[in-house]
């Protein structure tokens, strides 16, 4: 049976500036000056970042994967796109940032310099059968569940976060299953992680 060993909240998470990274491994995206229908931006700490531009009408119109550069500068020419609202999404293993792009009827382009959505993904540390879950940026609470592939529920609870931080540790047993699914739902976003025990 699964045991919840610890439910602790971290205090003192500090945002110094929007241009600084909250953690050393998180990427930072800075929007540059856009001219005509070209979007210019720089990504710092670009470790395995996915960049996507999409429109709700046309779907994905551009995607790219950035490797292991410390800093990368990108320019996307959007002159072939119709007028409307588009979204630039940058995603790493730790977080997702979304920026709104408006292309006007007279070929003007306007991109918001700050993300309208920033989503922190759950982070996991696995040691043997012990799994630590960390979630930051929690607005109020998150629903966390642990199941196996037979849909047996081992844990299901809504946890409130203090100062936006949530930490849980699970003791998973090979006696009940060798694979578990940890599901985290927060702010309308759902993240599932498959944990395989050896």
């Amino acid at each position: 049976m699964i045991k919840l060993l610890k439910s602790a909240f971290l205090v003192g998470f500090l945002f110094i500036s929007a241009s600084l990274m909250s953690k050393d491994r998180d990427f930072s995206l800075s929007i540059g000056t856009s001219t005509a229908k070209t979007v210019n931006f720089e990504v710092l700490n670009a470790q395995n970042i996915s960049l996507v531009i999409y429109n709700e009408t046309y779907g994905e119109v551009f995607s790219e994967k950035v490797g292991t550069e410390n800093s990368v500068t990108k320019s996307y020419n959007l002159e072939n796109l119709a007028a409307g609202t588009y979204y630039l999404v940058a995603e790493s293993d730790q977080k997702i940032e979304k920026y709104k792009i408006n292309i006007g009827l007279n070929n003007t382009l306007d991109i918001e310099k700050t993300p309208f959505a920033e989503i922190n993904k759950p982070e996991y540390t696995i040691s043997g059968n012990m799994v630590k879950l960390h979630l930051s940026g929690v607005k109020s609470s998150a629903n966390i569940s642990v199941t196996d592939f037979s849909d047996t529920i081992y844990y299901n609870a809504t946890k409130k976060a203090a100062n936006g931080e949530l930490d849980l540790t699970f003791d998973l047993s090979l006696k009940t299953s060798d694979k578990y699914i940890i599901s985290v739902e927060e702010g309308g976003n759902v993240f599932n992680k498959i944990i395989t025990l050896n």
Side-chain angles (χ1 to χ4, degrees), residues 13-181:
F13 192 78
L14 179 64
F15 287 99
I16 298 172
S17 164
S19 64
L20 297 179
M21 294 175 284
S22 61
K23 299 177 188 171
D24 289 340
R25 65 183 179 272
D26 283 355
F27 69 88
S28 175
L29 192 147
S30 299
I31 304 293
T33 303
S34 298
T35 56
K37 290 176 78 172
T38 300
V39 174
N40 301 299
F41 60 93
E42 180 183 19
V43 183
L44 300 177
N45 199 21
Q47 306 296 316
N48 298 316
I49 306 295
S50 293
L51 299 170
V52 176
I53 293 179
Y54 75 93
N55 173 286
E56 292 176 354
T57 303
Y58 305 111
E60 184 179 300
V61 295
F62 182 83
S63 66
E64 178 181 8
K65 187 87 169 174
V66 178
T68 58
E69 293 89 352
N70 287 330
S71 173
V72 62
T73 302
K74 292 289 178 184
S75 292
Y76 294 154
N77 187 331
L78 308 180
E79 65 180 353
N80 293 327
L81 299 181
T85 302
Y86 295 82
Y87 304 93
L88 168 64
V89 179
E91 181 173 356
S92 70
D93 290 337
Q94 286 79 37
K95 69 176 180 178
I96 303 168
E97 287 187 356
K98 297 181 180 181
Y99 298 81
K100 192 177 288 185
I101 303 169
N102 289 310
I103 298 177
L105 293 172
N106 54 355
N107 288 333
T108 58
L109 184 143
D110 180 46
I111 181 168
E112 296 178 350
K113 301 221 179 233
T114 56
F116 71 89
E118 186 171 347
I119 303 161
N120 293 305
K121 294 181 175 181
E123 298 177 53
Y124 297 92
T125 305
I126 302 169
S127 178
N129 62 320
M130 304 299 293
V131 179
K132 293 182 179 180
L133 163 66
H134 174 76
L135 186 62
S136 61
V138 181
K139 293 177 179 61
S140 60
S141 63
N143 183 266
I144 295 126
S145 64
V146 180
T147 61
D148 60 22
F149 280 82
S150 300
D151 291 329
T152 303
I153 299 172
Y154 298 95
Y155 180 82
N156 188 16
T158 299
K159 292 297 207 177
K160 291 191 176 185
N163 295 318
E165 303 286 323
L166 183 59
D167 287 282
L168 300 170
T169 300
F170 299 101
D171 181 6
L172 305 178
S173 175
L174 266 171
K175 293 179 181 177
T176 51
S177 181
D178 63 341
K179 290 184 180 178
Y180 293 87
I181 303 166

